[in-house]
Amino acid sequence: MNVGALYERYHDSLVRYLARYSGDLDLAEDAAHEAFLRLAERPPADSQGVRAWLFTVGTNLVRDAWRSGRRRSTLLQASQARPGIGTPTVGPEATLEQSETRRLVRTALDALSDRDRRVLLMREEGFKHREIGDALGIPTKSVGTVIARALKKLADHLPTDMEDRA
Amino acid sequence: MTTTDLDTRPADHHLSDGDLVRRLDDELDPREAARVDAHLTGCERCHSAMTETRVHSLRVSRLLEIADPTHESAPATTEPASGAPAAHGGRLRWRSTYWHVAAAILLTAGLALGATGLRSWIGDASRAAWSLIADAADSGPGDSSVWEGGSLGSVTATFVPYGDRFAIRVTHRQASGTLRLRPGDGPSASARVEGGTGIETLLVVPDGVSILNDARSTADYEIVIPPSVTEVEIRIAAEGIHTAPAPHEGEPSMVFDLAR
């Protein structure tokens, strides 16, 4: 198994998924690192499902971190994210709007069940229903139904004027 | 609606929300997809439901993208303020209320090679931060600059290689954090942990090295980079910078003092 190639292929997607899942970019990067390390040390028997395996391990690492009380960003912390050097600068008004949008999306995501959140976020990363079902223990044919309900729930939790704010 | 198999479902049976998502996600086989499409053409209710599902899906995708934590923007600043550098007696100092971590970088490469031996460049937004590093390196042992909290984010440094390696020495530990080094396109780097307690994790990735620090870690990391490399991108998640006196004069190294 070429871990380097897998890293190159999946790392950014995994970090993005974990950051959206947790609301904590730093925690997401740490969990992604650890997931790849575990992949190098103890690769799954099924090399075909390595991507889903990475996402599952990463998710579990985030949840472990929460359980151990290591850290979890609050909505406010997420909206006050530290500015990264090298990231584009925007005006204060746009920053405020973006922070508010981020906060509202975070609130809506947090209102979902863990399963619904994972289903939606894995779908966003391009997973097939079979892979999502395997990762979450849901029959493949039921994944569409779970996604549909989760989409509605998320839409219900998002203010109708979100796009205007964004 | 139940999850009745599409093939056995009566033609006038409305589509379930799950069916609509499966069609939207191209999860149906061609025959199922044709049946769904045919039904959507003649059923206003299902057609409307499909439109609504598509809108929900696109809206959620767009908002997740907008609110993505992986590309947060930095607020513009014109004066030294939170997260921005300010001069203090010849030193650059950052102040931030964000995090409890103060971390440190010292480029003894600058000390070893002198001001002309170290050429750093980063984008406009990060130039100030790298100036901090370069200034500290130029100022000689004993000088110190502090960036209290805040994220270094991603910086790219252009430097004159000294031999084929440099060391990263982590003198104090943060709670946790990932440090990434990318020696530019093409050549790969190798790395090893020196000393340590067995809890340090280091991963050589295609374009660099990823190191996960642990609060209990005591190791140093030695990174070997091909002499052809002239740029290194350093990314430290959630860390500040604290430059400290050089412990390794005469050898090109980076010292990360990751202290709480």
Side-chain angles (χ1 to χ4, degrees), chain A residues 12-24 28 51 55 59 62 66 72 105-106 108-110 112-128 131-132 135-136 143 146-147 150-151 154, chain B residues 25 57 60-65 67-69:
Chain A
D12 290 352
S13 170
L14 178 59
V15 169
R16 183 172 53 240
Y17 161 82
L18 292 173
R20 287 172 171 175
Y21 175 72
S22 67
D24 185 334
R51 182 174 173 229
F55 277 62
T59 303
V62 166
W66 286 343
R72 183 181 184 183
V105 172
R106 189 72 245 155
L109 279 172
D110 284 346
L112 298 179
S113 69
D114 187 74
R115 184 185 73 167
D116 286 352
R117 190 161 64 233
R118 288 177 65 187
V119 161
L120 283 187
L121 295 179
M122 287 184 77
R123 177 176 181 257
E124 281 300 310
E125 295 303 324
F127 279 94
K128 302 296 287 181
E131 295 174 301
I132 296 172
L136 277 76
V143 171
V146 175
I147 289 172
L151 279 173
L154 190 59
Chain B
D25 289 355
S57 180
V60 165
S61 293
R62 178 162 180 260
L63 289 173
L64 284 173
E65 180 67 20
D68 197 331

Side-chain angles (χ1 to χ4, degrees), chain A residues 137-157:
Chain A
I138 305 170
T140 301
K141 285 200 170 181
S142 300
V143 171
T145 305
V146 175
I147 289 172
R149 289 176 184 162
L151 279 173
K152 281 188 176 173
K153 283 181 201 167
L154 190 59
D156 288 345
H157 282 99

